[in-house]
Amino acid sequence: MLIGFMGAGKTTVGNILANLANLPYIDIDEVITSEQGMSVSDIFAKYGEKEFRRLEHEKLKELANTKAVIATGGGIVLNPENRKVLKNTYPVIYLETDPEVFMNRLKGDTTRPLVQQKSAEEIRAIFEPRIAHYQDSADFIVNTDNRNQQEVATAILAMLDK
């Protein structure tokens, strides 16, 4: 299970890991948007963040014990029940990313409602309260700042093989 803030590389790294491990790749946000027939931004606009978080929680519980590489949205750790499911179900890998790095990666992003049209200070205010939850939920922490996605995937596989 890959967790981390937006722009950490969860989707790309997840796909690489799935290919290397010969497992399916599941992105919880993609499953939700596919089932709802609308983007995360549209779900937020139409139903609000609270409803999206409810859908996210339900999908996490549904996928528990599925043999796959799974990536989550950056806010899944906000719910204590989600953190409990994460800790009790999968090896959890936190893709740690410095705010300057992910803010650079997120420039011009129009698909993530929590960072659209936000200043660096506003994005930091969203990110910083999550750090402790990411760290507490993680079995492994992999810093992604100075690595490409292949290097991150290789580091994860090496950790999991120990």
Side-chain angles (χ1 to χ4, degrees), residues 2-160:
L2 301 175
I3 64 172
F5 199 67
M6 298 167 260
K10 297 180 302 283
T11 299
T12 304
V13 170
N15 276 301
I16 293 168
L17 284 172
N19 286 332
L20 292 172
N22 200 29
L23 290 170
Y25 170 71
I26 300 170
D27 181 309
I28 290 178
D29 285 0
E30 286 180 12
V31 173
I32 292 168
T33 58
S34 176
E35 290 176 355
Q36 296 297 310
M38 61 180 78
S39 69
V40 173
S41 294
D42 290 341
I43 295 168
F44 268 61
K46 186 170 184 177
Y47 301 113
E49 181 178 2
K50 186 175 181 179
E51 175 61 9
F52 179 79
R53 298 296 175 207
R54 186 192 69 74
L55 294 168
E56 185 177 59
H57 176 71
E58 292 303 315
K59 194 53 58 185
L60 178 65
K61 288 191 320 185
E62 180 184 312
L63 292 170
N65 299 312
T66 301
K67 191 165 175 74
V69 174
I70 301 174
T72 70
I76 205 161
V77 297
L78 297 172
N79 179 328
E81 289 300 313
N82 289 345
R83 294 193 303 270
K84 192 181 299 182
V85 171
L86 289 169
K87 279 303 259 185
N88 293 324
T89 308
Y90 292 99
V92 178
I93 297 110
Y94 167 34
L95 299 185
E96 179 182 60
T97 308
D98 182 89
E100 297 304 319
V101 173
F102 68 67
M103 283 191 269
N104 201 30
R105 292 177 185 167
L106 294 172
K107 279 184 185 167
D109 189 304
T110 60
T111 63
R112 295 174 172 103
L114 290 178
V115 297
Q116 291 174 349
Q117 309 299 316
K118 298 270 194 299
S119 68
E121 294 78 27
E122 290 170 310
I123 294 172
R124 280 182 193 277
I126 294 167
F127 170 67
E128 288 176 358
R130 297 178 184 194
I131 296 171
H133 295 312
Y134 291 138
Q135 292 171 339
D136 292 343
S137 299
D139 295 302
F140 304 99
I141 298 173
V142 178
N143 187 281
T144 68
D145 292 345
N146 297 312
R147 294 176 166 159
N148 65 39
Q149 291 92 346
Q150 185 67 48
E151 292 168 334
V152 172
T154 300
I156 290 169
L157 288 176
M159 283 185 215
L160 294 174

